[in-house]
Amino acid sequence: MALETIDIVIVAFYAVALFAIAFFVSREPAGHTKDTEDYFLAGKALPWWAIGASLIAANISAEQIIGQSGQGFVVGIAIAAYEWQAAIVLLIVAKYFLPIFLERNIFTMPQFLETRFGPEVKSIMAVFWIVLYTAVNLTSILWLGGLAISAVTGVAVLPAMAGLAAFAALYSLYGGLKAVAMTDIIQVVVLIIGGFAITWIALGLVGGDRGALGGLSTLLGEIPGHFNMILEPDHPKYSDLPGIWTLLGGLWVLHFSYWGFNQYIIQRALGAENLKEAQKGLAFAAFLKLLIPLIVVIPGIAALWLAQNGQLDMAALSKTPDSTYGTLMTLVPGGLRGLVFAALIAAIVSSLASMMNSISTIFTMDIYRDYIAKDKSETHYVTVGRITAFVAMVLALILAKPFLGGMESAFQTIQEYTGFIAPGIVAIFLLGFFWKRANREGAFALLFSSVVLNLMAKFGLPDMPFVLRIWIVFLICLVIGVIVSLLTSPPKEDQPVDVGGISFKTSIGFNTASLVIVLIMTQSTSSTGRYLALRPHYGASRLAFPNGAVPVAATVLENDMVRFGFGVSALAILALAACAPQLEGAGSTITGQDAAAQTSSSAAIHERLAVLDTHL
């Protein structure tokens, strides 16, 4: 499919605007030289809207758009659990984790581990994250992005990857995080508009004379199985999304690892003007996460219907689901195709730029400055950061095809690779935050156990879904970390986090935004459930394990979407509790205003659960 002249003009305008803004915001005042705080943390001056937009721009990469559209084609809306659960996780991270990180005044996640457990843990995790970001994350963004560009333009995958890499490097290497975060405002706007455009067109093709909304109704009526949020054990993709365990199990571990303890993501919050701006930024990102399934998963479901009805090549899409989004782009008319193509480029290059910046930050601040060249000038370290980012991109270009070229679904593969260490990462941070007795030996033990136990389970229990495996390994890692810590010497006096000295109280604006986000989630899932309940559907509920099924003696729910809505509602209580006004510290008292707010929040919770009960 060739781009028309108007498409090329639109893409060129987008590229020029991006470069212009990147270089404009990267300028330093006269007489000021860019230092490490300017380059790696945007001078700690990012406002909430830049933080939220940049989080989503970094997250919605080719991995998300291409991978989740492909899974929408194969599995359906169930893959949206990755997005909607992430919204709750973002609120919890903003409430409980950011105050600890910002209080310690760190540049990187390994730096926190150094202050809590010592330099040995810091060094191991710094090397791990550099390797992971380069060999897994950066390669996946390049490979899936190259596939999409190839499908749209006909350019070979490798030249397409090279072009994307060059684009990302040119606008981000000079300005660092500030250039990335501020241009991400444009990236998100273009991405969402372009994403909604392709969703509307795909649904319009399904609906015909009835339009896009009619197309959505057709999908709900003719492919109801693709709107089940909780897959049954006999579903062919149950091993990827194992029913209720998707909601209650290891997916939460992956989310906290990604959104709470991931340099690639949390670096934006570390660059905030202050804690309140960082928290509002994460709440904004949580709201935007609610929109993502509409622009990445629904088009994949529409593609399945179009293929079933002879408008797309079913055999080709079934063989390579990751080509779904690129194939849909061939159906977009000229002019609008340029906007959609620019949105795809925006998603890819913003993620590439963010990943490059995080790799360079960890290497420069945690490896190079501490072990290779101490006491150098700030300018020297900034230069090293730029060189590191460039080298990481070149390595990713070399590794992308050998690592990901033969995989059926890159999105699910990346989740499984990440899951090998994710239980250990989440366990080490949670124990480090909230248990003063956790020490270096316990940290080493649980990190080692995370990898070993995952390998043993993967090859010893190959039928166990990886989401369930991650959850079990996480719980075991916690136990191992506690036991080893108790059997060894306590940490140094200055290492534990003094939670009592940190305020976890959040603003009324953050609390209100969090409540709205949770209510949107519960309302949308339960409303869709009522619609699907009109079709014949069995009601037997079983919690399935890899080698059999255990019947659950519980009230039979009418359909999977209502079950999911109920589950989210239950989990939402935790999120709402996290957003309610808190005690300022150990020994604080609740004011009358706080008590009233808590009573109001409690009433809202009971009201929502009462409404949900009528649906069940």
Side-chain angles (χ1 to χ4, degrees):
M1 179 195 72
L3 294 175
E4 298 178 7
T5 302
I6 184 63
D7 299 319
I8 296 174
V9 169
I10 292 173
V11 173
F13 177 79
Y14 152 74
V16 170
L18 193 70
F19 280 124
I21 293 176
F23 283 107
F24 177 79
V25 301
S26 299
R27 298 176 306 157
E28 295 297 329
H32 178 75
T33 302
K34 193 182 297 291
D35 58 22
T36 52
E37 185 174 286
D38 295 326
Y39 189 77
F40 297 121
L41 294 182
K44 291 192 175 181
L46 292 179
W48 67 267
W49 43 268
I51 295 168
S54 189
L55 281 169
I56 296 303
N59 170 243
I60 308 176
S61 62
E63 173 188 333
Q64 297 292 104
I65 292 182
I66 309 305
Q68 287 202 14
S69 291
Q71 286 298 298
F73 178 87
V74 175
V75 177
I77 202 69
I79 197 67
Y82 281 95
E83 306 302 324
W84 289 331
Q85 288 185 21
I88 293 179
V89 170
L90 278 165
L91 300 179
I92 296 173
V93 169
K95 175 74 177 181
Y96 291 112
F97 299 168
L98 286 187
I100 297 174
F101 287 141
L102 295 180
E103 187 269 340
R104 294 223 162 184
N105 195 31
I106 57 174
F107 275 70
T108 69
M109 293 296 95
Q111 282 184 0
F112 170 81
L113 294 178
E114 180 180 30
T115 63
R116 181 61 183 84
F117 296 107
E120 298 87 355
V121 176
K122 187 261 319 241
S123 299
I124 289 175
M125 293 308 299
V127 172
F128 163 77
W129 270 311
I130 290 171
V131 173
L132 177 72
Y133 292 162
T134 304
V136 177
N137 298 109
L138 204 55
T139 56
S140 69
I141 297 168
L142 278 174
W143 176 252
L144 291 173
L147 283 177
I149 300 300
S150 177
V152 174
T153 65
V155 175
V157 175
L158 290 179
M161 289 195 299
L164 291 170
F167 189 8
L170 284 173
Y171 88 86
S172 66
L173 282 181
Y174 175 73
L177 181 62
K178 188 174 183 179
V180 174
M182 300 307 286
T183 54
D184 279 346
I185 305 298
I186 295 179
Q187 309 279 42
V188 165
V189 171
V190 172
L191 193 154
I192 291 178
I193 293 175
F196 271 116
I198 202 166
T199 299
W200 194 262
I201 290 169
L203 290 176
L205 291 172
V206 173
D209 294 338
R210 296 187 301 145
L213 296 179
L216 180 60
S217 178
T218 297
L219 295 181
L220 287 167
E222 297 188 16
I223 320 179
H226 268 55
F227 287 88
N228 291 337
M229 285 299 301
I230 297 179
L231 304 183
E232 296 297 331
D234 59 352
H235 194 284
K237 289 295 180 180
Y238 182 81
S239 61
D240 291 333
L241 296 165
I244 195 68
W245 292 108
T246 303
L247 183 64
L248 301 178
L251 193 53
W252 293 98
V253 178
L254 289 176
H255 278 313
F256 278 109
S257 176
Y258 182 85
W259 292 103
F261 314 125
N262 180 1
Q263 181 71 26
Y264 167 58
I265 293 297
I266 211 71
Q267 189 165 343
R268 282 127 182 83
L270 298 180
E273 293 178 7
N274 51 55
L275 175 59
K276 290 188 181 299
E277 288 294 297
Q279 290 174 326
K280 287 189 292 185
L282 266 64
F284 180 41
F287 172 75
L288 293 176
K289 286 298 282 183
L290 302 181
L291 305 178
I292 305 308
L294 298 178
I295 64 177
V296 296
V297 180
I298 296 298
I301 302 175
L304 175 63
W305 187 94
L306 293 171
Q308 290 176 343
N309 288 271
Q311 298 184 49
L312 294 177
D313 188 340
M314 174 65 82
L317 292 179
S318 298
K319 182 180 179 181
T320 313
D322 284 338
S323 66
T324 299
Y325 199 83
T327 301
L328 285 173
M329 288 184 64
T330 64
L331 306 177
V332 178
L336 191 55
R337 188 182 304 154
L339 177 62
V340 175
F341 188 54
L344 182 61
I345 295 175
I348 298 167
V349 298
S350 63
S351 296
L352 289 174
S354 299
M355 191 63 68
M356 290 166 60
N357 187 258
S358 295
I359 293 169
S360 67
T361 303
I362 293 176
F363 177 81
T364 304
M365 304 303 291
D366 294 320
I367 303 296
Y368 185 83
R369 190 181 67 170
D370 288 352
Y371 300 110
I372 299 175
K374 298 181 179 180
D375 302 323
K376 295 290 185 178
S377 67
E378 291 288 292
T379 302
H380 176 83
Y381 292 127
V382 170
T383 301
V384 170
R386 290 172 176 148
I387 295 172
T388 301
F390 179 79
V391 172
M393 184 65 79
V394 172
L395 289 175
L397 274 172
I398 296 171
L399 296 173
K401 186 173 183 179
F403 276 29
L404 297 173
M407 295 178 180
E408 177 183 357
S409 175
F411 181 77
Q412 290 292 349
T413 301
I414 291 160
Q415 303 311 312
E416 183 163 11
Y417 281 176
T418 305
F420 275 69
I421 191 64
I425 291 175
V426 176
I428 194 175
F429 275 95
L430 290 182
L431 290 179
F433 284 165
F434 304 116
W435 191 45
K436 293 185 177 182
R437 188 62 176 77
N439 63 10
R440 180 188 63 183
E441 289 75 13
F444 278 133
L446 65 85
L447 288 172
F448 178 76
S449 300
S450 180
V451 176
V452 172
L453 291 172
N454 268 298
L455 287 172
M456 291 172 60
K458 179 174 176 60
F459 296 106
L461 299 169
D463 295 330
M464 177 180 285
F466 84 93
V467 171
L468 179 57
R469 184 182 75 224
I470 289 170
W471 180 243
I472 294 173
V473 171
F474 167 69
L475 296 177
I476 296 174
C477 284
L478 282 176
V479 173
I480 290 174
V482 170
I483 292 175
V484 173
S485 293
L486 290 174
L487 293 176
T488 52
S489 302
K492 296 178 181 178
E493 187 176 344
D494 62 340
Q495 287 183 328
V497 174
D498 181 14
V499 177
I502 299 174
S503 172
F504 294 99
K505 186 175 182 179
T506 43
S507 66
I508 295 176
F510 176 85
N511 299 338
T512 303
S514 301
L515 178 62
V516 169
I517 289 166
V518 171
L519 294 184
I520 289 174
M521 292 176 63
T522 56
Q523 181 61 38
S524 61
T525 52
S526 58
S527 296
T528 307
R530 290 197 304 275
Y531 179 93
L532 292 177
L534 298 176
R535 63 181 174 85
H537 191 76
Y538 64 90
S541 177
R542 298 166 71 87
L543 292 184
F545 290 86
N547 298 316
V550 180
V552 178
T555 302
V556 174
L557 305 182
E558 287 185 284
N559 61 69
D560 293 330
M561 284 298 286
V562 174
R563 285 213 306 270
F564 182 79
F566 179 80
V568 169
S569 296
L571 290 167
I573 296 175
L574 299 177
L576 287 170
C579 302
Q582 293 280 320
L583 298 177
E584 274 286 347
S588 295
T589 57
I590 302 177
T591 66
Q593 182 180 3
D594 286 345
Q598 288 181 336
T599 301
S600 176
S601 296
S602 177
I605 294 171
H606 287 295
E607 180 181 354
R608 292 301 307 151
L609 291 178
V611 172
L612 185 63
D613 285 340
T614 65
H615 300 162
L616 301 179

